[in-house]
């Protein structure tokens, strides 16, 4: 187990390095100067601008810059934001709690809806109940988050005037906070619950016809007990790893939701830094996202091994 | 179906006519079987019908409804009227014309991005699965890295950074179209590659491949033999990727990073309408519903195809 875990970690590190190389090259090879906003605004003479470029090392070849960047990055020096002149880490750490709250709650709600729904639809496969919820889950994951968000705003903010249209970070009152967070959370939870419940259902169906389920039924156990105590435990093994695998996608997907409701999280920071050409922040956020993906893939791999004893560590 | 039975029930006399076979004959083909199973999936049939209708509407629509998409009607309000059946947007441009035209772009992006993804995916997967060894190891690692790349952020970044270069090279509409299709397809091929690789690994050792090899067939010809046997998952993955590509395109447009403002796509229309939700919710709801219906119907088609192409199912 330890050897396996170590090997997975050792694979994860080069993956992250390659991603950083890809993102760095995308940024470095792009037309346009990262300093253009800095230099153009003050109408500097050409030689001064050249001096700035040399000072920042922009005259050096790409691979030298990449390794310098990498060395600084590993040491925790993520640079300063061009737009706000704050250290990048500070900027990101200011935004992350909001994102975590909204995403964390919506994901918990999604899991809490998806598991019972998946179990119930699988237990009554091809019943009317199953058909209705299968169709609904298709609706759920075919609805793009920006459209769900727009519909919710039209219904609850414009027509009924129950909920505020945009998220306000200054709010401290918990009830007010719930009122403003409820729409972004619903949007994300709906999409995730729809996707996850499909997987729970498929995994349950795989297990319901297995020999051990038949044995349990033959013992005279009630179907309820067979489903909840025997089959569910096994069916959840792939689902748990899937929950871990999906989490980073939820993070990146939240970019859109944060944009609609003006939630000041890491996603809206990303959009605004792209629009401001704020290279250090863009780079840092993509690396945070990439690290999340790699980390949760690792977690999923390890969890699968722990939960399923049939998995052998090679 | 009932004709041969009644024919035989009538008696031996029927046998005398050479045309009427005594045993019912089934003309079965892969395509026929698939269609037979697909037909049973009601939602998939409805989905296919809906998707085809929408495609036809967007292709024919702008020819029939000839109001120009960028014509500004100063006298129009955003109410539905005879001149503007779906109202107008904030600048007085006809919503119906823009929705029809926008559908062309959105549907074309979905289909083209799917083709890009399938082409790369089949190529990489076939190479990895067929040759094995270090080629497989390298390609599988590449697939893994691409799967770990945070897709939406990279998509946004690439499009923002390289938009002007491509616009300069191919013009504002074509440049953005090529870029969006290439980037969405280029970040969406990994699932197909994995499926194709798995298919090739299982098919590689089959007898027919051995036979082909004995007859002196080279790698290219053998791959040609194997490919049809891995087609089912490719078709399903391709269908589903049309939907996800459409969502990706409309997400980009919705974030204001897609097509330029004068090229309407369903996502762009929604983006333009979102500032007027209080006064003109319909201008947002119409393109949004179109995206939703297109994606929903294509997802149903994909689900139906998955069932129909599953060889374990019998008719």
């Amino acid at each position: 187990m330890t050897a396996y875990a170590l090997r997975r970690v050792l694979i994860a590190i080069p993956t992250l390095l390659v991603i950083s190389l890809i993102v760095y090259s995308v940024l470095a090879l792009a037309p346009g100067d990262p300093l253009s906003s800095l230099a153009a605004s003050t109408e500097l003479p050409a030689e001064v601008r050249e001096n700035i470029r040399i000072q920042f090392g922009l005259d050096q070849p790409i691979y030298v810059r990449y390794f310098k960047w990498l060395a600084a990055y590993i040491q925790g020096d993520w640079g300063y934001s061009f737009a706000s002149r704050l250290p990048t880490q500070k900027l990101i750490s200011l935004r992350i709690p909001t994102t975590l709250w909204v995403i964390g709650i919506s994901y918990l709600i999604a899991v809490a809806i998806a598991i019972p729904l998946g179990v119930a639809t699988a237990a009554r496969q091809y019943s009317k109940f199953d058909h209705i919820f299968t169709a609904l889950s298709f609706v759920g994951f075919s609805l793009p988050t920006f459209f769900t968000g727009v519909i919710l705003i039209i219904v609850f903010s414009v027509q009924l005037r129950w909920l505020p249209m945009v998220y306000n970070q200054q709010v401290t009152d918990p009830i007010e906070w719930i009122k403003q967070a409820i729409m972004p959370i619903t949007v994300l939870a709906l999409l995730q619950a729809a996707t996850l419940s499909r997987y729970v259902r498929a995994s349950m169906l795989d297990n319901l016809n297995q020999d051990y389920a038949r044995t349990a039924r033959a013992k005279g156990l009630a179907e309820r007990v067979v489903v909840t105590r025997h089959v569910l435990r096994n069916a959840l093994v792939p689902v748990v790893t899937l929950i871990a695998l999906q989490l980073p996608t939820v993070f990146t997907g939240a970019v859109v939701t944060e944009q609609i409701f003006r939630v000041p999280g890491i996603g809206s920071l990303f959009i605004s830094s792209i629009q401001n050409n704020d290279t250090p922040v863009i780079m840092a956020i993509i690396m945070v996202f990439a690290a999340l993906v790699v980390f949760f893939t690792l977690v999923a791999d390890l969890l699968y091994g722990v939960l399923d004893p049939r998995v052998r560590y090679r | 179906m009932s004709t041969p039975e009644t024919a035989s029930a009538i008696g031996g006399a029927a046998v005398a006519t050479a045309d009427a076979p005594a045993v019912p004959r089934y003309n079965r083909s892969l395509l026929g079987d698939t269609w037979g199973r697909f037909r049973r999936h009601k939602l998939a049939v409805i989905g296919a019908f809906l998707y085809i209708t929408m495609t036809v509407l967007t292709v024919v629509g702008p020819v029939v409804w000839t109001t120009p998409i960028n014509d500004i009607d100063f006298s129009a309000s955003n109410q539905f009227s005879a001149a503007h059946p779906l109202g107008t947007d904030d600048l007085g441009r006809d919503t119906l014309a823009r929705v029809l035209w926008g559908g062309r772009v959105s549907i074309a992006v979905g289909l083209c991005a799917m083709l890009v993804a399938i082409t790369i995916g089949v190529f990489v997967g076939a190479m990895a699965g067929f040759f094995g060894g270090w080629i497989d190891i390298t390609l599988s690692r590449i697939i893994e890295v691409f799967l770990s790349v945070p897709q939406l952020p990279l998509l946004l970044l690439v499009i923002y950074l390289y938009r002007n270069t491509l616009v300069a090279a191919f013009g504002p509409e074509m440049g953005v179209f090529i870029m969006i299709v290439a980037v969405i397809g280029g970040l969406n091929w990994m699932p197909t590659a994995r499926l194709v690789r798995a298919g090739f690994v299982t098919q590689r050792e089959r007898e027919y491949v051995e036979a082909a090899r004995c007859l002196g067939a080279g790698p290219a010809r053998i791959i040609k033999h194997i490919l049809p046997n891995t087609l089912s998952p490719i078709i399903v993955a391709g269908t589903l990727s049309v939907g996800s590509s459409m969502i990706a395109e409309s997400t980009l447009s919705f974030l204001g990073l897609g097509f330029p403002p004068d090229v309407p796509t369903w996502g762009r229309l929604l983006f333009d309408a979102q500032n007027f939700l209080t006064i003109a919710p319909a201008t947002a709801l119409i393109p949004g519903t179109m995206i939703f219906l297109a994606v929903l119907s294509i997802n149903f088609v994909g689900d139906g195809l998955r069932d129909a192409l599953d060889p374990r199912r019998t008719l």
Side-chain angles (χ1 to χ4, degrees), chain A residues 158, chain B residues 78-79 275-283:
Chain A
V158 176
Chain B
N78 56 39
Q79 302 301 316
N275 293 326
F276 305 98
L277 291 181
T278 39
I279 46 174
T283 42

Side-chain angles (χ1 to χ4, degrees), chain A residues 57-72:
Chain A
L58 280 169
D59 54 332
Q60 286 162 339
I62 284 186
Y63 63 92
V64 175
R65 273 151 50 192
Y66 173 72
F67 283 113
K68 279 191 164 175
W69 169 84
L70 189 65

Side-chain angles (χ1 to χ4, degrees), chain B residues 285-298:
Chain B
L285 289 175
I286 294 163
T289 311
M290 297 303 273
I291 300 172
F292 163 62
L293 284 180
V295 175
L296 181 69
S297 54
I298 205 85

Side-chain angles (χ1 to χ4, degrees), chain A:
Chain A
M1 174 75 197
T2 329
Y4 174 79
L6 248 170
R7 245 180 41 138
R8 296 303 309 180
V9 175
L10 286 180
I11 292 178
I13 292 170
T15 309
L16 263 184
L17 284 179
V18 175
I19 294 174
S20 75
L21 187 63
I22 293 175
V23 180
Y24 193 91
S25 337
V26 165
L27 277 165
L29 295 174
D33 193 328
L35 284 181
S36 59
S37 58
L38 207 67
S41 58
T42 45
E43 289 176 356
L44 292 169
E47 58 265 37
V48 179
R49 191 179 305 178
E50 203 46 46
N51 277 338
I52 295 179
R53 291 179 61 84
I54 292 169
Q55 197 192 334
F56 280 102
L58 280 169
D59 54 332
Q60 286 162 339
I62 284 186
Y63 63 92
V64 175
R65 273 151 50 192
Y66 173 72
F67 283 113
K68 279 191 164 175
W69 169 84
L70 189 65
Y73 224 70
I74 292 170
Q75 288 163 22
D77 175 10
W78 291 12
Y80 284 81
S81 155
F82 291 163
S84 63
R85 317 283 151 126
L86 279 171
T88 304
Q89 273 128 314
K90 180 133 198 277
L91 208 57
I92 291 179
S93 60
L94 280 176
R95 299 295 194 103
I96 274 195
T98 317
T99 300
L100 275 182
W101 271 108
V102 173
I103 285 180
I105 294 176
S106 68
Y107 210 45
L108 284 179
I109 293 176
V111 171
I113 295 174
I115 291 179
L117 198 60
V119 171
T121 47
R124 278 171 243 168
Q125 193 188 8
Y126 300 137
S127 68
K128 197 161 259 172
F129 175 79
D130 180 29
H131 282 305
I132 291 172
F133 276 96
T134 301
L136 276 183
S137 72
F138 267 90
V139 171
F141 64 73
S142 301
L143 268 172
T145 44
F146 51 84
F147 188 43
T148 334
V150 164
I151 294 177
L152 288 184
I153 289 182
I154 289 178
V155 174
F156 292 104
S157 302
V158 176
Q159 300 293 331
L160 298 171
R161 295 173 188 282
W162 287 353
L163 302 168
M165 211 184 269
V166 293
Y167 192 97
N168 177 5
Q169 197 161 31
Q170 263 72 51
V171 167
T172 45
D173 181 39
I175 293 181
E176 283 300 309
W177 187 83
I178 291 174
K179 271 176 87 175
Q180 67 178 5
I182 201 162
M183 287 199 294
I185 288 174
T186 313
V187 167
L188 289 171
L190 202 69
L191 179 70
Q192 288 306 314
T195 321
L196 277 177
S197 71
R198 292 295 294 164
Y199 284 108
V200 177
R201 179 175 176 274
S203 174
M204 283 295 290
L205 288 178
D206 277 347
N207 278 281
L208 273 171
N209 294 323
Q210 298 235 334
D211 291 344
Y212 75 85
R214 196 188 314 139
T215 311
R217 287 193 195 103
K219 282 197 300 190
L221 293 180
E223 186 64 23
R224 233 186 96 78
V225 181
V226 176
V227 170
T228 54
R229 304 294 295 264
H230 292 245
V231 176
L232 180 60
R233 289 166 62 108
N234 290 294
L236 281 186
V237 172
V239 174
V240 168
T241 59
L242 197 92
I243 290 175
L245 278 178
Q246 287 262 306
L247 200 54
T249 348
V250 186
F251 261 95
T252 53
V255 171
V256 180
T257 317
E258 287 184 1
Q259 195 66 13
I260 306 168
F261 296 103
R262 310 280 189 271
V263 179
I266 192 167
S268 53
L269 176 66
F270 183 72
I271 301 284
S272 64
S273 37
I274 282 192
Q275 281 158 354
N276 294 333
N277 228 344
D278 199 345
T279 319
V281 183
I282 297 174
M283 193 71 204
I285 294 178
I286 292 199
M287 284 319 290
V288 169
F289 282 148
L292 281 173
V293 178
V294 172
F295 174 73
F296 279 105
T297 314
L298 192 66
V299 170
D301 275 355
L302 297 180
L303 261 181
Y304 201 82
V306 173
L307 293 174
D308 191 342
R310 286 171 303 184
V311 174
R312 292 271 202 81
Y313 299 110
R314 280 176 291 125

